[in-house]
């Protein structure tokens, strides 16, 4: 799923939008930052929690993989610059 991000904007992605089942406690994601306006950073994590923050250079695309423990929460994404953030769910963690 491609998420167009404006600088400072936070986008909340519901568990159903990520394809998580009701008993999943975390989701594995491949995150690609595409065409950023400049160098910046993104924050990604469970909404209401402490996000994982990563800086990225002024380059056409860069990818990261991570596990977001989100329990019953949505996943929130924030960018410090205009960019397109592509999220690919690679798995889910079920307790």
């Amino acid at each position: 799923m491609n998420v167009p991000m404006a600088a400072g904007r936070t986008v909340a992605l519901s568990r159903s939008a990520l394809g998580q089942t009701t008993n999943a406690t975390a989701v594995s994601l491949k995150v690609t930052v595409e065409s950023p306006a400049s160098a910046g950073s993104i924050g990604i994590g469970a909404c209401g929690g402490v996000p994982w923050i990563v800086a990225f250079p002024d380059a056409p695309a860069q990818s990261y993989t991570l596990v977001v423990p989100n329990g019953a929460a949505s996943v929130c994404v924030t960018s410090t610059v205009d960019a397109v953030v592509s999220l690919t769910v690679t798995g889910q963690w079920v307790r």
Side-chain angles (χ1 to χ4, degrees):
M1 112 185 23
N2 289 332
V3 182
M5 300 293 302
R9 177 178 169 223
T10 298
V11 174
L13 303 167
S14 69
R15 292 170 48 82
S16 62
L18 295 170
Q20 281 186 276
T21 60
T22 56
N23 59 343
T25 58
V27 63
S28 297
L29 296 171
K30 177 182 177 188
V31 180
T32 304
V33 180
E34 302 171 2
S35 304
S38 63
S41 64
I42 58 169
I44 186 165
C47 296
V50 177
W52 175 69
I53 298 175
V54 65
F56 53 82
D58 183 5
Q62 43 279 316
S63 293
Y64 311 92
T65 56
L66 70 149
V67 174
V68 178
N70 64 325
S74 297
V75 171
C76 282
V77 181
T78 304
S79 179
T80 60
V81 299
D82 293 352
V84 173
V85 177
S86 175
L87 299 166
T88 303
V89 175
T90 58
Q92 57 181 320
W93 298 75
V94 178
R95 190 180 287 184

